Amino acid sequence: MEPSVTEKKKIVLSGIQPSGLITIGNYLGAVKTWSEIQEKYNCVFMIANLHATTVRQDPAVLRKNTLEAFAVLLACGIDPERSIVFIQSHVPAHAELTWALSCYTQFGELSRMTQFKDKSARYADNINAGLFNYPVLMASDILLYQAGLVPVGEDQKQHVELTRDIAGRFNGLYGNVFTMPECLFPKAGKRIMSLQDPAKKMSKSDPNPKGYAALLDDRDVIIKKFKSAVTDSETAVRFAEGKAGINNLMGIYSAFTGKSYEEIEAEFAGHGYGDFKLAVGETVADAFAPIKAEYARLMDDKEYLKKLAAEGAEKANRIARRTLDKVYRKIGYL
Ligand code: AQP
């Protein structure tokens, strides 16, 4: 049955960039929640390939990553019968609304975005206008579907707040055009840190692959990455200030097992970091094994995946067009 926005359920919008292999950070911060809330809400999920080009991408790799990310979402349990799943560039309204809303967003607001500051430091030779304008595209993604909830990791909180500011400003001028969105954070795993530098968030575009564990990494690779995770020089497994590496691993272990920090401390009392790291690595690898198997099955039939993506885009397009038409009317575009 086609998901309908006329039902009284809240609408959810979220996306993921096909800028590399989906990591355990993306999974715990976003995708896992997506698969769990499909019954409760009318969900719209997209592969954010327009966002991905704020950083230079190899065209063939971007195409490949886009379809693979689509398959990963399905393998993680996103059900195209219940939710709308599509590829962002297939729905032109995202780019169109971005132009309109750019004219209602201040330079100063965009300059304050932490992600812009981080990424412009990381990619100093390519500080492009798209990188600066990224939050307006994200606001358009959310507002086009009148989403009330946006399940994201904590790193995206500032962008959702800016979306609210833009929506509030537009509504103030033209009446109730946009729904005010709110963040929906996962209970555990809203900020997973790099395995090599626990002061930095885990990112799929980290040039050092040891910094992240990817959903599609081989079992041995996942375990090895956890075994070599950077921690402190103590030996006791306990959650405490100044132990960012261990705290991060405890957060990951807790998110997968449902155990509290006290339970984890009790489980590993008398064991060293080595045993704990191995247990975390094995737990993650075990959790990802069925997802990887389903992914492999889906990737066997790429034509079927493309057909699902086209169907998703058609559904998304119908909703997005409605909002865009209203915005154009309000602004006075003839
Ligand atoms: N480390 C993280 N911990 C928790 N959640 C995270 N997310 C990303 N990193 C973490 C959440 O994953 C969703 C999809 O993210 P994205 O692909 O749209 O962009 P991002 O936040 O920039 O993710 P990456 O992995 O860091 O990508 P790159 O390296 O390309 O910039 C979002 O909901 C995000 O909160």
Side-chain angles (χ1 to χ4, degrees), residues 299-331:
M299 284 303 283
D300 251 1
D301 191 350
K302 296 201 180 59
E303 287 316 308
Y304 177 63
L305 282 174
K306 286 180 188 163
K307 182 174 154 280
L308 287 181
E311 286 169 4
E314 203 184 310
K315 293 172 194 167
N317 210 20
R318 273 205 291 276
I319 302 169
R321 242 324 113 193
R322 245 188 344 248
T323 304
L324 189 73
D325 285 350
K326 189 166 181 188
V327 168
Y328 274 26
R329 260 199 327 274
K330 293 285 184 185
I331 293 177

Short mmCIF file of all heavy atoms in Angstrom, two decimals, residues 299-331:
data_model
loop_
_atom_site.label_atom_id
_atom_site.label_comp_id
_atom_site.label_asym_id
_atom_site.label_seq_id
_atom_site.Cartn_x
_atom_site.Cartn_y
_atom_site.Cartn_z
N MET A 299 21.85 -6.69 -3.98
CA MET A 299 22.76 -6.17 -5.00
C MET A 299 22.88 -7.12 -6.20
O MET A 299 23.42 -6.74 -7.23
CB MET A 299 24.16 -5.92 -4.41
CG MET A 299 24.25 -4.68 -3.56
SD MET A 299 23.77 -3.14 -4.41
CE MET A 299 25.22 -2.84 -5.39
N ASP A 300 22.34 -8.32 -6.04
CA ASP A 300 22.33 -9.28 -7.13
C ASP A 300 21.37 -8.87 -8.24
O ASP A 300 21.44 -9.38 -9.35
CB ASP A 300 21.88 -10.66 -6.59
CG ASP A 300 23.03 -11.61 -6.56
OD1 ASP A 300 24.14 -11.17 -6.94
OD2 ASP A 300 22.83 -12.78 -6.16
N ASP A 301 20.40 -8.01 -7.91
CA ASP A 301 19.40 -7.60 -8.90
C ASP A 301 19.32 -6.06 -8.94
O ASP A 301 18.40 -5.45 -8.36
CB ASP A 301 18.04 -8.23 -8.55
CG ASP A 301 17.05 -8.06 -9.68
OD1 ASP A 301 17.35 -7.31 -10.64
OD2 ASP A 301 15.96 -8.67 -9.61
N LYS A 302 20.27 -5.45 -9.62
CA LYS A 302 20.35 -3.98 -9.62
C LYS A 302 19.16 -3.34 -10.34
O LYS A 302 18.73 -2.25 -10.00
CB LYS A 302 21.67 -3.52 -10.25
CG LYS A 302 22.87 -3.97 -9.45
CD LYS A 302 24.07 -3.12 -9.78
CE LYS A 302 25.28 -3.53 -8.99
NZ LYS A 302 25.74 -4.92 -9.16
N GLU A 303 18.63 -4.05 -11.35
CA GLU A 303 17.48 -3.49 -12.08
C GLU A 303 16.28 -3.35 -11.14
O GLU A 303 15.54 -2.37 -11.20
CB GLU A 303 17.13 -4.37 -13.30
CG GLU A 303 18.12 -4.24 -14.44
CD GLU A 303 18.54 -2.78 -14.73
OE1 GLU A 303 17.65 -1.93 -14.90
OE2 GLU A 303 19.76 -2.49 -14.75
N TYR A 304 16.11 -4.34 -10.27
CA TYR A 304 15.01 -4.29 -9.31
C TYR A 304 15.20 -3.11 -8.35
O TYR A 304 14.26 -2.37 -8.04
CB TYR A 304 14.94 -5.61 -8.54
CG TYR A 304 13.88 -5.65 -7.48
CD1 TYR A 304 12.52 -5.54 -7.80
CD2 TYR A 304 14.23 -5.78 -6.13
CE1 TYR A 304 11.56 -5.55 -6.81
CE2 TYR A 304 13.27 -5.79 -5.14
CZ TYR A 304 11.94 -5.67 -5.48
OH TYR A 304 10.97 -5.67 -4.49
N LEU A 305 16.46 -2.91 -7.91
CA LEU A 305 16.75 -1.77 -7.02
C LEU A 305 16.41 -0.46 -7.71
O LEU A 305 15.81 0.45 -7.10
CB LEU A 305 18.24 -1.76 -6.64
CG LEU A 305 18.69 -2.75 -5.58
CD1 LEU A 305 20.21 -2.72 -5.43
CD2 LEU A 305 18.04 -2.44 -4.23
N LYS A 306 16.79 -0.35 -8.98
CA LYS A 306 16.53 0.90 -9.72
C LYS A 306 15.01 1.12 -9.88
O LYS A 306 14.54 2.26 -9.83
CB LYS A 306 17.21 0.86 -11.09
CG LYS A 306 18.72 1.04 -10.98
CD LYS A 306 19.38 1.00 -12.33
CE LYS A 306 20.89 0.98 -12.18
NZ LYS A 306 21.59 0.56 -13.39
N LYS A 307 14.30 0.04 -10.06
CA LYS A 307 12.84 0.15 -10.19
C LYS A 307 12.24 0.66 -8.86
O LYS A 307 11.39 1.55 -8.86
CB LYS A 307 12.27 -1.23 -10.56
CG LYS A 307 10.79 -1.25 -10.77
CD LYS A 307 10.34 -2.63 -11.27
CE LYS A 307 8.91 -2.94 -10.92
NZ LYS A 307 8.64 -3.39 -9.57
N LEU A 308 12.72 0.11 -7.75
CA LEU A 308 12.23 0.57 -6.45
C LEU A 308 12.55 2.05 -6.24
O LEU A 308 11.73 2.82 -5.72
CB LEU A 308 12.86 -0.24 -5.31
CG LEU A 308 12.39 -1.68 -5.14
CD1 LEU A 308 13.11 -2.32 -3.96
CD2 LEU A 308 10.89 -1.75 -4.91
N ALA A 309 13.76 2.46 -6.67
CA ALA A 309 14.16 3.87 -6.50
C ALA A 309 13.26 4.78 -7.35
O ALA A 309 12.87 5.86 -6.90
CB ALA A 309 15.62 4.05 -6.89
N ALA A 310 12.92 4.33 -8.55
CA ALA A 310 12.06 5.14 -9.42
C ALA A 310 10.65 5.26 -8.82
O ALA A 310 10.04 6.34 -8.84
CB ALA A 310 11.99 4.51 -10.81
N GLU A 311 10.15 4.17 -8.25
CA GLU A 311 8.82 4.21 -7.63
C GLU A 311 8.82 5.15 -6.43
O GLU A 311 7.89 5.93 -6.21
CB GLU A 311 8.39 2.81 -7.18
CG GLU A 311 8.00 1.92 -8.36
CD GLU A 311 7.83 0.45 -7.97
OE1 GLU A 311 7.94 0.10 -6.77
OE2 GLU A 311 7.61 -0.35 -8.89
N GLY A 312 9.91 5.07 -5.64
CA GLY A 312 10.04 5.95 -4.46
C GLY A 312 10.06 7.41 -4.89
O GLY A 312 9.40 8.27 -4.28
N ALA A 313 10.79 7.71 -5.96
CA ALA A 313 10.91 9.10 -6.44
C ALA A 313 9.56 9.62 -6.90
O ALA A 313 9.22 10.79 -6.67
CB ALA A 313 11.93 9.16 -7.57
N GLU A 314 8.77 8.76 -7.52
CA GLU A 314 7.46 9.19 -8.01
C GLU A 314 6.56 9.60 -6.84
O GLU A 314 5.89 10.64 -6.88
CB GLU A 314 6.84 8.03 -8.78
CG GLU A 314 5.80 8.46 -9.78
CD GLU A 314 5.16 7.24 -10.43
OE1 GLU A 314 5.92 6.36 -10.90
OE2 GLU A 314 3.92 7.17 -10.42
N LYS A 315 6.58 8.78 -5.78
CA LYS A 315 5.76 9.11 -4.60
C LYS A 315 6.26 10.40 -3.95
O LYS A 315 5.48 11.27 -3.56
CB LYS A 315 5.83 7.97 -3.57
CG LYS A 315 5.19 6.67 -4.03
CD LYS A 315 5.48 5.57 -3.01
CE LYS A 315 5.17 4.19 -3.56
NZ LYS A 315 5.73 3.12 -2.72
N ALA A 316 7.59 10.51 -3.81
CA ALA A 316 8.17 11.70 -3.17
C ALA A 316 7.85 12.95 -3.98
O ALA A 316 7.49 14.00 -3.44
CB ALA A 316 9.69 11.52 -3.03
N ASN A 317 7.97 12.82 -5.28
CA ASN A 317 7.75 13.92 -6.19
C ASN A 317 6.35 14.53 -6.04
O ASN A 317 6.19 15.75 -6.05
CB ASN A 317 7.93 13.39 -7.61
CG ASN A 317 8.43 14.47 -8.53
OD1 ASN A 317 8.98 15.48 -8.09
ND2 ASN A 317 8.21 14.28 -9.80
N ARG A 318 5.37 13.65 -5.88
CA ARG A 318 3.97 14.13 -5.76
C ARG A 318 3.81 15.03 -4.54
O ARG A 318 3.19 16.08 -4.60
CB ARG A 318 3.02 12.94 -5.66
CG ARG A 318 2.59 12.42 -7.02
CD ARG A 318 1.25 11.69 -6.94
NE ARG A 318 1.35 10.45 -6.20
CZ ARG A 318 1.74 9.29 -6.73
NH1 ARG A 318 2.08 9.22 -8.00
NH2 ARG A 318 1.80 8.21 -5.99
N ILE A 319 4.40 14.61 -3.42
CA ILE A 319 4.26 15.40 -2.18
C ILE A 319 5.08 16.69 -2.28
O ILE A 319 4.61 17.78 -1.95
CB ILE A 319 4.76 14.57 -0.97
CG1 ILE A 319 3.98 13.26 -0.88
CG2 ILE A 319 4.62 15.36 0.32
CD1 ILE A 319 4.56 12.26 0.10
N ALA A 320 6.32 16.54 -2.75
CA ALA A 320 7.23 17.69 -2.80
C ALA A 320 6.69 18.78 -3.71
O ALA A 320 6.76 19.98 -3.42
CB ALA A 320 8.60 17.22 -3.26
N ARG A 321 6.12 18.37 -4.84
CA ARG A 321 5.56 19.32 -5.82
C ARG A 321 4.48 20.19 -5.19
O ARG A 321 4.37 21.38 -5.43
CB ARG A 321 4.93 18.52 -6.94
CG ARG A 321 5.39 18.57 -8.39
CD ARG A 321 5.85 19.81 -8.96
NE ARG A 321 7.28 19.64 -9.24
CZ ARG A 321 8.14 20.60 -9.55
NH1 ARG A 321 7.75 21.84 -9.64
NH2 ARG A 321 9.39 20.34 -9.76
N ARG A 322 3.64 19.53 -4.38
CA ARG A 322 2.53 20.25 -3.74
C ARG A 322 3.06 21.39 -2.89
O ARG A 322 2.59 22.52 -2.98
CB ARG A 322 1.75 19.27 -2.85
CG ARG A 322 0.37 19.06 -3.34
CD ARG A 322 -0.60 18.27 -2.50
NE ARG A 322 -0.13 17.46 -1.43
CZ ARG A 322 -0.16 16.12 -1.40
NH1 ARG A 322 -0.61 15.46 -2.46
NH2 ARG A 322 0.23 15.45 -0.36
N THR A 323 4.08 21.09 -2.08
CA THR A 323 4.65 22.14 -1.22
C THR A 323 5.31 23.22 -2.08
O THR A 323 5.15 24.42 -1.84
CB THR A 323 5.68 21.53 -0.25
OG1 THR A 323 5.05 20.50 0.48
CG2 THR A 323 6.23 22.58 0.70
N LEU A 324 6.06 22.78 -3.08
CA LEU A 324 6.78 23.76 -3.92
C LEU A 324 5.80 24.71 -4.62
O LEU A 324 6.02 25.92 -4.67
CB LEU A 324 7.66 23.04 -4.94
CG LEU A 324 8.60 23.97 -5.69
CD1 LEU A 324 9.74 24.43 -4.78
CD2 LEU A 324 9.18 23.31 -6.93
N ASP A 325 4.70 24.16 -5.14
CA ASP A 325 3.70 25.00 -5.82
C ASP A 325 3.18 26.07 -4.87
O ASP A 325 3.02 27.23 -5.25
CB ASP A 325 2.51 24.14 -6.31
CG ASP A 325 2.88 23.32 -7.54
OD1 ASP A 325 3.97 23.57 -8.10
OD2 ASP A 325 2.11 22.42 -7.91
N LYS A 326 2.93 25.65 -3.63
CA LYS A 326 2.40 26.60 -2.64
C LYS A 326 3.44 27.70 -2.36
O LYS A 326 3.10 28.89 -2.33
CB LYS A 326 2.07 25.84 -1.35
CG LYS A 326 1.32 26.66 -0.35
CD LYS A 326 0.72 25.78 0.73
CE LYS A 326 -0.06 26.61 1.72
NZ LYS A 326 -0.50 25.84 2.88
N VAL A 327 4.69 27.30 -2.21
CA VAL A 327 5.75 28.28 -1.94
C VAL A 327 5.87 29.27 -3.10
O VAL A 327 5.95 30.48 -2.90
CB VAL A 327 7.10 27.54 -1.71
CG1 VAL A 327 8.27 28.50 -1.71
CG2 VAL A 327 7.05 26.76 -0.40
N TYR A 328 5.84 28.74 -4.31
CA TYR A 328 5.96 29.62 -5.49
C TYR A 328 4.81 30.62 -5.53
O TYR A 328 4.99 31.79 -5.86
CB TYR A 328 5.98 28.77 -6.77
CG TYR A 328 7.36 28.26 -7.17
CD1 TYR A 328 8.36 28.07 -6.23
CD2 TYR A 328 7.67 27.96 -8.50
CE1 TYR A 328 9.62 27.61 -6.58
CE2 TYR A 328 8.93 27.50 -8.86
CZ TYR A 328 9.90 27.32 -7.90
OH TYR A 328 11.15 26.87 -8.25
N ARG A 329 3.61 30.13 -5.22
CA ARG A 329 2.44 31.02 -5.21
C ARG A 329 2.61 32.12 -4.18
O ARG A 329 2.39 33.29 -4.45
CB ARG A 329 1.18 30.21 -4.86
CG ARG A 329 0.34 29.81 -6.05
CD ARG A 329 -1.10 29.41 -5.69
NE ARG A 329 -1.32 28.77 -4.42
CZ ARG A 329 -1.21 27.45 -4.19
NH1 ARG A 329 -0.86 26.63 -5.18
NH2 ARG A 329 -1.47 26.95 -3.00
N LYS A 330 3.05 31.73 -2.98
CA LYS A 330 3.19 32.69 -1.87
C LYS A 330 4.23 33.76 -2.24
O LYS A 330 4.05 34.94 -1.95
CB LYS A 330 3.63 31.97 -0.59
CG LYS A 330 2.59 31.04 -0.04
CD LYS A 330 1.48 31.80 0.62
CE LYS A 330 0.47 30.85 1.27
NZ LYS A 330 -0.67 31.56 1.82
N ILE A 331 5.35 33.31 -2.83
CA ILE A 331 6.43 34.26 -3.13
C ILE A 331 6.02 35.19 -4.27
O ILE A 331 6.43 36.35 -4.32
CB ILE A 331 7.72 33.50 -3.51
CG1 ILE A 331 8.27 32.73 -2.30
CG2 ILE A 331 8.80 34.43 -4.04
CD1 ILE A 331 9.50 31.89 -2.56
#
